[in-house]
Amino acid sequence: MSQSHRLAQGGRVDRRQPVSFSFNGKTYQGYLGDTVASALLANGVAMVARSWKYHRPRGVVAAGPEEPNALLQLGSGQYTVPNARATQVEIHAGLEANSVNCWPSLERDVMAATGVFSRLLPAGFYYKTFMWPQSFWMKYEHYIRKASGFGEAPVEADPDRYEKTNAHCDVLVAGAGPAGLAAALAAARTGARVIVADEQHELGGSLLASRDTIGGVPAADWLASVLAELASYPEVRILSRATVYGYLDHNFVAIAERLSDHLPFAQRRGPRERVWRVRAKRVILATGAHERPLVFGDNDRPGIMLASAVSTYVNRYAVKPGTQAVVFTNNDSAYQAALDLCDAGIKVAAVVDARHDPKGTLAQRVRAAGVEIIGGAVITAVEGTKRVKSVEVMALNPARTGVQGSPRTLACDLVAMSGGWSPVVHLSAQSGAKAVWDEAAACFLPGAPVQAERSVGACAGHFRLSEALAGGFAAGAEAAKLAGVGDGVVPEVPAVVDPLEEPILPLWEVPGKRPSGRGPKAFVDLQNDVGSSDIRLAAREGFHSIEHTKRYTALGFGTDQGKLGNINGMAILADALKRPISATGTTTFRPNYTPVTFGAIAGDERGELFDPIRKTAMHEWHVAHGAEFENVGQWKRPWYFPKPGEDLHAAVNRECVAARTGVAIMDASTLGKIDIQGPDAAEFLNRMYTNAWKKLGVGACRYGLMLDEKGMVFDDGVTTRLAENRFVMTTTTGGAARVMSWLERWLQTEWPELRVRLTSVTDHWATMAVVGPKSREVLKAVCEGIDFSNEAFPFMTYREGKAAGAPARVMRISFSGELAYEINVSANVGRHVWEAVMEAGRAFDITPYGTETMHVLRAEKGFIIVGQDTDGSVTPFDLGMEWAVKKTADFIGRRSFKLAHNAKSDRKQLVGLLPTDPQAVLPEGAQLVDDPAVPAPVPMLGHVTSSYFSANLGRSIAMALVKDGFRRMGEVIRAPLADGRVIEAKIVSPVFIDPEGARQNV
């Protein structure tokens, strides 16, 4: 297996380890350290893909994450990976790679016929063509969707594992090129905790293909010494194959680390990928810059590459991308590619420079090497389809708006182009900084930082190596000092001799022999087949915002998000609109910087771990005693405890009677519990709840309603004052996390001056509600150090003592309306105390009950459940709970609560319902009307929120939200059901048992 285009020596690949892999079913060979792109080029493969829209032949253009063309489908079955970039996929034994978006083969693609009709398929053609006739859309939609797209997503279950990890550091460095390594080294020498992340498998960035000297030694040697020194510091963590893909608030940075994709399947162990969630005191962005292509006719032919990519393949991978080259540029950096090609023995026919007489250091070296420089000229045509064969060169006119003179043809199979450099400002923009246009450098630069970050090196517009190193060392020392480590002294910067350069000549669209859109396609976005003519068409059709142009033309869509094409596209739009580029602006830089797999994002939160199962300390006791469970807010809660031969209804009836006549016990551990401490805790609660809290005595409990900003009931619960500056709040089981986030949101963003600390302690406590007339007797037998007399321990207070020998908080509160207590003990002893209570209650025939009985008991008393008897549109007044709303002091939702709309009499209000047939149970959710026989649409008056059969009352009861319900007491309302039946019910008070509340106060 001959690598016909491999150089005889050089490069960083390991020639001692040949690697075989397949591409489109054919076996090729490369070396360890090759990417698929470099290995294919080494084997003389120029055409690797077809374009998305026109299915034109495409080759490798770049050498990194900005590659728009060479997308691959890797592997098959459950291991398949779609749209992997050939420039980033490391070859390994057994690797299978295939081109995407071509059928039946890459060489003979049927859809290539669309290229013949490309003039009929400009940007936005689908918006116009497929609007009429409307009835035809469903006939051809399937075929259009089938023709679009690139790779195919896997349909089988993913066998790999993924994980997430959290980390903190003093300094995080994104990018390990010369600037990033200098910054990391300066910070590491201070003893700072440093994380360095780079997306390549080797750290070094541009130094991996550089022939410069740093400090008098070759760049490769300097790089090796720096990496060795970094590895010697215990506080430095180096992450290779790790892409910093997101920069969020408060210096929270997301990194996707690829752990095993580069290995043969037989050698893969452990997780495939890991997501690092890093909180950094300081962030240094050293993400480099992408070289821009030039926009000229047929600039997408295989063999046309970025000049920097050509240098990378020659110097780093020892590959000959072609046998005879033409370099096309508007700046000095491309001359380095010409020198690298010459040194590798590859003929350079000429350098075509849009500038008239370039005199930079590199240009002079190229002339000295005997290479012709054609100044003031551009490429106007390309010959060749599946590989470039020659180019046509013409002189620019003095105004640079067109070409003149006779064309000249240069034979070549490689074009190395450079249109300048675009700093990678993506992460800076994600952090909140706004990119600013630099007219002299012809690029967008990072704006003023809004977080604790700094950009260095090429991503800050410092393209010279000396600037990158100096900026990196300074930034690293500064970051460490600002993080509280080191004295800020900048290490000595090694000497570098930069070549003298002349200014870039911005050339956003190369003029051709014919006007834009009349000649061959000049592509701006290679991945999405967006040409310069498409952007000008969008401008003519009124899409003047760059965001609108993006969506109309697909500029910057796809997996590369415009890394190569967007700046050219913005400039062409600016030219079409006759306004400066700075006024056109950029599109939005959103995470992710490069595609991240769903597996990495999900981590181990999938399958059974997608929604964690939470169990109380008494769960196994419930299982052993035959409980049926329901899921509530991730918790497994006992639903009911059937005895042999009992169904749900029989068990619930028995449990309800026991709670009202004897004693019953329920596991209430799942209720949310939030420990609230601080000098301003009472003030905080006063703002969060609708009722007053400052004067609540220590040892007292109070029920409270919490509203949202719209004045609607958000949650409810009982909060107890444990000490002057300490409370414990209970919430609904399903709302615990939501309430905790709600409290933190207001405390952190609106009232940061309040001295309050919140801690979720739900899992710390086991809670058991002991309910019924005999509950006091049971607790007396179990608890020590507590006087349970009514005078010493009244309703809505709490006491501390011991329960079955364990320290306990006992609250006298009731969600059933009966005499009741809640015992709270450490979850570690929860089952022990539960069993002790059961033993003490045996003499009173104590009955365990579940959530269904709890619902019936509370409905008998008219107690609400937030989320069931409320729906986000219910105020305290709608619930008849104006007694829970303080009259003067402010609280969240108070102003909205007082809007006229919320005081209208025809609002839905909570009432009770007694069906005329006491055995008929209204379905929950049933709509309520006055007369179901009136012509449709029948006016809906409300709906049933809760409905049960009450064994204690011997009949059915219900609660409902009914328009103007408070004034309709005693009236009859009807519920038409889907089966044709109509159930009549009388509107009554929602309190069906003990309206005076005597039982709970006994």
Side-chain angles (χ1 to χ4, degrees):
M1 290 177 283
S2 172
Q3 299 182 46
S4 59
H5 285 59
R6 182 76 71 179
L7 295 172
Q9 57 186 7
R12 299 179 67 89
V13 294
D14 189 346
R15 297 173 188 264
R16 299 168 299 176
Q17 298 192 59
V19 178
S20 295
F21 68 101
S22 71
F23 174 66
N24 289 338
K26 184 177 179 179
T27 299
Y28 295 92
Q29 190 181 81
Y31 294 120
L32 188 66
D34 265 321
T35 63
V36 173
S38 65
L40 290 176
L41 290 171
N43 283 273
V45 178
M47 180 176 152
V48 298
R50 290 279 181 170
S51 71
W52 171 64
K53 185 174 178 181
Y54 302 126
H55 290 252
R56 290 165 65 104
R58 292 283 170 83
V60 174
V61 172
E66 71 274 25
E67 171 58 42
N69 291 337
L71 302 182
L72 305 172
Q73 186 85 27
L74 302 180
S76 60
Q78 59 187 171
Y79 290 100
T80 191
V81 176
N83 301 332
R85 286 179 175 80
T87 53
Q88 293 185 293
V89 177
E90 300 169 55
I91 63 171
H92 60 76
L95 175 68
E96 297 177 5
N98 291 279
S99 300
V100 300
N101 197 37
C102 54
W103 183 85
S105 69
L106 176 64
E107 294 290 331
R108 295 177 177 82
D109 184 3
V110 171
M111 291 298 293
T114 57
V116 179
F117 305 102
S118 60
R119 292 191 186 281
L120 303 177
L121 305 174
F125 79 93
Y126 26 80
Y127 298 128
K128 307 164 189 173
T129 307
F130 301 140
M131 290 178 65
W132 184 89
Q134 186 176 1
S135 60
F136 273 37
W137 171 244
M138 296 306 295
K139 292 180 171 60
Y140 48 64
E141 178 198 17
H142 170 74
Y143 298 101
I144 294 171
R145 294 194 182 280
K146 188 175 181 180
S148 65
F150 287 110
E152 296 181 2
V155 295
E156 299 181 30
D158 188 346
D160 288 312
R161 289 198 302 109
Y162 305 83
E163 67 179 26
K164 301 175 185 176
T165 189
N166 300 314
H168 292 77
C169 65
D170 296 315
V171 181
L172 183 141
V173 182
L181 289 174
L185 192 60
R189 286 174 176 172
T190 69
R193 295 173 300 159
V194 180
I195 295 178
V196 185
D198 191 272
E199 63 191 356
Q200 298 195 70
H201 72 276
E202 280 190 285
L203 273 60
S206 62
L207 298 179
L208 298 173
S210 174
R211 299 165 67 200
D212 292 316
T213 58
I214 301 176
V217 300
D221 294 342
W222 182 84
L223 171 62
S225 66
V226 169
L227 294 179
E229 183 176 349
L230 287 175
S232 70
Y233 293 112
E235 295 293 342
V236 174
R237 186 191 304 272
I238 296 177
L239 302 177
S240 59
R241 301 184 180 92
T243 302
V244 180
Y245 68 85
Y247 192 155
L248 308 176
D249 292 340
H250 308 293
N251 266 25
F252 183 81
V253 177
I255 307 172
E257 181 186 16
R258 299 170 296 281
L259 300 172
S260 62
D261 280 354
H262 62 289
L263 299 173
F265 288 112
Q267 297 179 22
R268 296 183 182 182
R269 301 288 186 274
R272 176 186 168 195
E273 294 182 69
R274 178 186 295 123
V275 166
W276 290 80
R277 300 180 292 200
V278 181
R279 191 77 70 177
K281 291 182 180 178
R282 306 293 303 184
V283 172
I284 296 175
L285 301 178
T287 47
H290 295 316
E291 192 170 23
R292 291 192 295 263
L294 287 162
V295 181
F296 57 95
D298 289 330
N299 62 335
D300 65 327
R301 297 305 188 192
I304 300 178
M305 303 173 65
L306 297 174
S308 59
V310 169
S311 289
T312 296
Y313 288 117
V314 170
N315 295 332
R316 180 177 176 183
Y317 296 105
V319 167
K320 294 188 297 182
T323 58
Q324 182 162 307
V326 169
V327 178
F328 182 21
T329 186
N330 65 347
N331 67 93
D332 277 16
S333 66
Y335 285 89
Q336 184 62 55
L339 293 171
D340 293 335
L341 288 166
C342 290
D343 291 345
I346 301 170
K347 181 180 179 181
V348 179
V351 175
V352 179
D353 196 326
R355 300 169 300 177
H356 280 285
D357 188 20
K359 294 186 175 68
T361 301
L362 295 179
Q364 294 177 17
R365 292 178 186 171
V366 167
R367 285 193 183 95
V371 177
E372 179 185 7
I373 297 178
I374 307 175
V378 293
I379 292 177
T380 55
V382 176
E383 179 67 26
T385 301
K386 296 183 178 180
R387 175 143 201 169
V388 60
K389 296 180 180 178
S390 64
V391 295
E392 183 183 87
V393 178
M394 295 185 70
L396 280 172
N397 64 22
R400 302 193 183 97
T401 57
V403 291
Q404 62 187 14
S406 301
R408 176 181 172 186
T409 299
L410 299 175
C412 62
D413 59 0
L414 173 65
V415 175
M417 61 178 171
S418 177
W421 293 84
S422 298
V424 178
V425 299
H426 300 61
L427 294 178
S428 169
Q430 289 177 22
S431 76
K434 186 175 178 59
V436 294
W437 179 253
D438 187 302
E439 195 68 37
C443 62
F444 280 99
L445 299 179
V450 299
Q451 297 198 50
E453 61 91 2
R454 178 174 171 182
S455 296
V456 297
C459 77
H462 302 148
F463 300 119
R464 294 186 177 90
L465 181 57
S466 61
E467 292 177 330
L469 292 173
F473 278 114
E478 175 193 50
K481 181 180 180 181
L482 292 174
V485 186
D487 54 12
V489 176
V490 181
E492 182 181 354
V493 181
V496 173
V497 179
D498 292 314
L500 297 176
E501 294 183 348
E502 293 191 314
I504 184 176
L505 172 66
L507 191 63
W508 309 115
E509 183 179 10
V510 176
K513 292 183 289 185
R514 304 181 67 183
S516 177
R518 299 295 182 182
K521 281 280 186 183
F523 289 98
V524 177
D525 186 323
L526 291 164
Q527 185 165 107
N528 297 293
D529 277 351
V530 179
S532 58
S533 59
D534 294 315
I535 297 172
R536 295 186 181 278
L537 173 63
R540 291 197 300 272
E541 296 193 349
F543 295 94
H544 294 176
S545 162
I546 186 61
E547 294 286 5
H548 293 163
T549 299
K550 171 182 177 178
R551 282 149 184 82
Y552 187 66
T553 64
L555 174 71
F557 277 22
T559 65
D560 80 335
Q561 289 292 293
K563 290 182 176 62
L564 289 189
N566 269 10
I567 303 302
N568 284 333
M570 296 164 193
I572 293 171
L573 177 64
D575 179 68
L577 298 175
K578 306 302 181 188
R579 67 186 185 193
I581 297 174
S582 57
T584 302
T586 69
T587 52
T588 303
F589 298 95
R590 298 184 180 91
N592 302 327
Y593 170 65
T594 53
V596 178
T597 64
F598 287 118
I601 294 171
D604 56 9
E605 298 162 9
R606 56 184 185 145
E608 293 182 354
L609 298 178
F610 177 72
D611 193 21
I613 296 174
R614 304 176 74 180
K615 300 176 182 179
T616 71
M618 291 80 88
H619 179 83
E620 298 307 325
W621 187 96
H622 303 324
V623 172
H625 289 78
E628 295 289 339
F629 293 90
E630 68 170 341
N631 297 321
V632 183
Q634 298 180 333
W635 288 98
K636 288 289 185 183
R637 297 200 69 180
W639 187 15
Y640 61 101
F641 290 82
K643 290 187 175 181
E646 285 185 336
D647 61 6
L648 166 66
H649 302 292
V652 170
N653 289 342
R654 173 178 51 78
E655 293 170 7
C656 286
V657 172
R660 297 273 182 223
T661 61
V663 63
I665 183 171
M666 184 187 74
D667 185 352
S669 305
T670 63
L671 293 176
K673 306 172 194 68
I674 301 172
D675 192 287
I676 303 172
Q677 298 188 43
D680 298 318
E683 172 62 23
F684 179 61
L685 291 174
N686 224 38
R687 300 181 188 183
M688 299 306 302
Y689 278 127
T690 61
N691 46 352
W693 291 84
K694 288 186 177 180
K695 295 182 179 180
L696 182 70
V698 175
C701 310
R702 180 165 291 167
Y703 173 82
L705 284 175
M706 203 176 292
L707 308 186
D708 61 18
E709 300 104 317
K710 301 186 295 294
M712 305 302 164
V713 175
F714 178 77
D715 202 82
D716 71 339
V718 173
T719 296
T720 303
R721 193 165 200 165
L722 303 179
E724 184 64 26
N725 295 327
R726 186 178 185 185
F727 297 78
V728 62
M729 174 191 291
T730 61
T731 73
T732 55
T733 296
R738 183 181 73 247
V739 171
M740 182 69 180
S741 297
W742 178 253
L743 299 180
E744 285 285 12
R745 169 186 162 186
W746 286 92
L747 190 59
Q748 293 185 30
T749 64
E750 301 299 327
W751 307 317
E753 74 281 1
L754 293 184
R755 294 163 297 169
V756 180
R757 298 182 300 279
L758 307 176
T759 306
S760 175
V761 294
T762 303
D763 293 322
H764 298 194
W765 295 90
T767 303
M768 50 212 80
V770 185
V771 178
K774 302 297 183 182
S775 58
R776 180 180 284 128
E777 302 305 316
V778 174
L779 264 71
K780 284 181 178 179
V782 173
C783 297
E784 305 171 41
I786 299 176
D787 183 350
F788 283 94
S789 67
N790 198 36
E791 296 74 22
F793 195 170
F795 182 59
M796 294 301 283
T797 60
Y798 107 98
R799 300 289 183 264
E800 292 189 359
K802 289 188 176 182
R809 295 174 182 166
V810 181
M811 281 82 169
R812 186 177 170 186
I813 55 181
S814 177
F815 195 45
S816 62
E818 294 294 326
L819 173 66
Y821 301 86
E822 285 187 3
I823 304 173
N824 294 270
V825 296
S826 168
N828 293 330
V829 296
R831 180 166 178 175
H832 162 72
V833 175
W834 175 277
E835 290 177 339
V837 174
M838 290 297 298
E839 180 62 28
R842 182 184 300 180
F844 305 99
D845 195 22
I846 190 168
T847 301
Y849 69 94
T851 54
E852 189 66 18
T853 295
M854 175 195 71
H855 281 267
V856 178
L857 294 174
R858 63 90 195 173
E860 290 174 343
K861 279 292 296 178
F863 295 154
I864 66 166
I865 289 184
V866 174
Q868 179 168 333
D869 300 301
T870 67
D871 61 1
S873 65
V874 177
T875 71
F877 282 2
D878 298 334
L879 298 172
M881 299 174 69
E882 58 275 8
W883 53 266
V885 181
K886 51 183 177 271
K887 298 298 187 285
T888 55
D890 203 2
F891 55 85
I892 293 173
R894 181 171 182 265
R895 281 169 287 180
S896 299
F897 177 60
K898 288 183 169 293
L899 293 175
H901 172 77
N902 291 332
K904 292 173 63 177
S905 62
D906 63 347
R907 289 181 59 81
K908 291 182 179 180
Q909 297 161 343
L910 188 71
V911 298
L913 297 178
L914 289 177
T916 303
D917 178 359
Q919 302 305 307
V921 178
L922 286 162
E924 291 182 350
Q927 293 294 312
L928 300 172
V929 302
D930 273 332
D931 183 2
V934 301
V938 180
M940 301 295 177
L941 302 179
H943 68 280
V944 177
T945 61
S946 300
S947 181
Y948 310 97
F949 183 85
S950 168
N952 291 297
L953 294 169
R955 62 160 300 121
S956 60
I957 60 172
M959 299 166 71
L961 289 171
V962 176
K963 288 184 179 179
D964 202 15
F966 296 160
R967 294 198 298 183
R968 299 193 59 170
M969 291 295 170
E971 296 182 12
V972 174
I973 201 165
R974 295 161 183 84
L977 306 184
D979 60 7
R981 291 183 300 137
V982 176
I983 298 179
E984 292 185 346
K986 181 189 290 188
I987 300 176
V988 297
S989 166
V991 184
F992 300 100
I993 286 181
D994 188 26
E996 296 81 15
R999 296 188 183 206
Q1000 64 193 18
N1001 290 296
V1002 66

